[in-house]
Amino acid sequence: MAAPETTPLHASRRAGRHGQAPVVAVVALGGGIGAVARYAAALWWPTQPGGFPWATFWTNVIGCAVIGVFMVVITDVWAAHRLVRPFFGTGVLGGFTTFSTYAVDIQKLVDAGRPGTGLAYLAATLLAALAAVWLAARATRRVLRRRQP
């Protein structure tokens, strides 16, 4: 019986799967860390039924600000190891920020008869998160420029 034929395409696919294993592992590890941090914030600052979900709101805003700082640092300043971005950016910050809980919170507000609060929360989170990432990236670049000789 002849051995199966190995083409460059087959070899490339095998190498790609094995090459992605460390990336998948660090994303999973970082995601677990970020999710535990988010859960701790929700326990520390619980949302009352029908109340504004402040913990989720601030988790998303702070996470977006950190993403802004992180992306500037790893693209403009620091030649990071190839696993830093997937670990921290995708994993930790992806697990920490929570737009799925954001959607559930909106639905809970609507179901509790507070559609106006749900709409305000929807808009405020979107605007605050976008503003946070933009302002953090801009401030980080400004600080870095001042530190240059």
Side-chain angles (χ1 to χ4, degrees), residues 65-144:
V66 174
I67 288 169
V69 172
F70 176 67
M71 291 308 295
V72 169
V73 169
I74 68 166
T75 58
D76 296 0
V77 177
W78 180 38
H81 184 277
R82 75 178 188 94
L83 297 177
V84 170
R85 190 174 185 169
F87 169 75
F88 191 72
T90 305
V92 174
L93 295 174
F96 183 67
T97 57
T98 172
F99 286 92
S100 59
T101 301
Y102 161 68
V104 170
D105 287 343
I106 293 166
Q107 185 63 54
K108 284 181 180 178
L109 287 166
V110 170
D111 291 347
R114 309 226 20 231
T117 304
L119 186 59
Y121 174 56
L122 184 151
T125 298
L126 178 62
L127 293 173
L130 289 172
V133 74
W134 182 78
L135 288 169
R138 184 177 171 130
T140 303
R141 283 194 178 98
R142 179 172 270 161
V143 166
L144 292 172

Side-chain angles (χ1 to χ4, degrees), residues 28-46 54-60 62-63 66 87-88 91-98 101:
L29 177 64
I33 292 167
V36 167
R38 175 175 28 92
Y39 181 68
L43 290 177
W44 179 67
W45 197 356
W54 288 108
T56 304
F57 175 82
W58 285 113
T59 295
N60 286 331
I62 291 166
V66 174
F87 169 75
F88 191 72
V92 174
L93 295 174
F96 183 67
T97 57
T98 172
T101 301

